[in-house]
Amino acid sequence: MHPSQSSRATVRIQNRLGLHARPAMSFVDTANGFDCEIRVRKGGQVVDGKSIMQMMMLAATQGTELHLQADGPDAGTAVAALTELVDRKFDED
Amino acid sequence: MKLNDLIIPTAIVPQLEHTDRDSAIEELIDALIASRSVSKALRGDLIKLIIDREKKGSTGFGKGVAVPHVKHAKIKGMAAAIGVSQQGVDFNSLDKSPVYSIILLLSPENKPDEHLQAMENIFSNLQNDTFRRFLRQSTTVEEIQDLIQEADAQQLQG
């Protein structure tokens, strides 16, 4: 068994209002459904994708590129779920 | 963007009277109205929108802080109030703990990027243990104003 897995993806925030509190909460809720560690990077800033306070520090406006990195047993599924959430614009717009 | 650009000095309430969420929100809105940051005509509307927002998902994100907020077409510029409670306010927080510091933010409806910048600034500070501790310990407007100056000048230890 290989418990350690790594997965990455780059996503772009597409909804008009950006990553404000509600979508940030959806992101964190989704992230917390997985065991892996999830880091989100914007430029040189890296935050914990499972912390709402840290995610709000990204000020990710519409068009912002975010780099997701997951490490842990369910990293692949986690990145796929988070990418899907961002791509469907958090059900906004 | 700095805290000083957001926080209305006369809307700093170092000793909140109420310990329930809805009344604390009303106190802070009233402080913003008394500061002439927002029209009294919007009072009911804003309070209802903020409470409705809280019911959908608490902005008490843990660590004893809450950031209730609303975007409104009739808000011209961003304005924030700060409330500190020694007893703690029941904000239905994610971690189920009371909140001791509340930053209430009003944003114009059509400036989502500025809203995110303001939230970024607020959360960067609230994420800082020293800022959070000093804010909670403050009992006067002057202490909170000094804290804001130090935070904006990045003089606080992380």
Side-chain angles (χ1 to χ4, degrees), chain A residues 16-22 25 45 51-54 56-62, chain B residues 53 61-63 65 69 71 94 112-113 115-117 119-120 123-124 126-127 132:
Chain A
R16 188 178 68 85
L17 300 179
L19 196 67
H20 62 105
R22 197 198 63 84
M25 203 64 231
Q45 186 184 12
S51 157
I52 178 67
M53 305 238 293
Q54 291 196 27
M56 292 305 292
M57 287 163 61
L58 290 174
T61 53
Q62 184 181 38
Chain B
R53 165 68 184 77
F61 291 146
K63 301 194 181 194
V65 300
H69 56 273
K71 292 179 187 138
L94 304 184
D113 293 4
H115 172 77
L116 290 179
Q117 293 297 338
M119 291 294 251
E120 182 273 330
F123 281 101
S124 299
L126 290 178
Q127 183 72 20
R132 234 177 25 252

Side-chain angles (χ1 to χ4, degrees), chain B:
Chain B
M1 191 179 295
K2 292 182 179 290
L3 277 182
N4 206 22
D5 302 328
L6 295 171
I7 310 286
I8 308 298
T10 44
I12 294 173
V13 184
Q15 303 192 44
L16 281 169
E17 218 174 293
H18 300 279
T19 55
D20 68 288
R21 181 193 65 195
D22 296 0
S23 306
I25 288 170
E26 286 178 22
E27 257 188 280
L28 292 174
I29 289 290
D30 285 338
L32 286 163
I33 290 170
S35 306
R36 300 181 181 275
S37 299
V38 62
S39 154
K40 195 174 181 181
L42 292 177
R43 184 180 188 272
D45 219 10
L46 293 175
I47 290 169
K48 182 178 185 306
L49 287 166
I50 292 173
I51 291 172
D52 286 351
R53 165 68 184 77
E54 289 298 322
K55 286 180 182 162
K56 280 185 207 150
S58 176
T59 63
F61 291 146
K63 301 194 181 194
V65 300
V67 185
H69 56 273
V70 66
K71 292 179 187 138
H72 196 284
K74 289 189 177 150
I75 302 285
K76 300 281 177 262
M78 266 176 310
I82 292 190
V84 174
S85 169
Q86 301 305 320
Q87 300 94 319
V89 176
D90 179 2
F91 231 82
N92 192 26
S93 296
L94 304 184
D95 64 0
K96 307 289 171 213
S97 304
V99 305
Y100 298 93
S101 307
I102 302 171
I103 300 185
L104 182 147
L105 176 69
L106 307 179
S107 300
E109 195 156 72
N110 55 352
K111 293 185 176 160
D113 293 4
E114 276 184 41
H115 172 77
L116 290 179
Q117 293 297 338
M119 291 294 251
E120 182 273 330
N121 181 294
I122 290 169
F123 281 101
S124 299
N125 284 302
L126 290 178
Q127 183 72 20
N128 180 318
D129 294 340
T130 308
F131 180 87
R132 234 177 25 252
R133 194 177 68 240
F134 284 172
L135 183 54
R136 182 175 167 174
Q137 289 168 350
S138 299
T139 53
T140 66
V141 172
E142 291 69 30
E143 282 174 334
I144 297 174
Q145 281 185 305
D146 287 349
L147 178 63
I148 290 170
Q149 302 302 339
E150 287 172 42
D152 281 345
Q154 300 190 315
Q155 286 167 347
L156 295 172
Q157 306 270 308

Side-chain angles (χ1 to χ4, degrees), chain A residues 13-71:
Chain A
I13 300 294
Q14 297 155 63
N15 52 311
R16 188 178 68 85
L17 300 179
L19 196 67
H20 62 105
R22 197 198 63 84
M25 203 64 231
S26 304
F27 187 100
V28 168
D29 278 344
T30 303
N32 277 301
F34 297 94
D35 293 326
C36 57
E37 186 180 304
I38 296 164
R39 277 169 296 174
V40 181
R41 181 171 65 82
K42 174 192 163 192
Q45 186 184 12
V46 182
V47 302
D48 179 355
K50 293 185 174 187
S51 157
I52 178 67
M53 305 238 293
Q54 291 196 27
M55 287 297 290
M56 292 305 292
M57 287 163 61
L58 290 174
T61 53
Q62 184 181 38
T64 300
E65 220 172 57
L66 298 177
H67 305 275
L68 314 182
Q69 163 127 22
D71 294 282

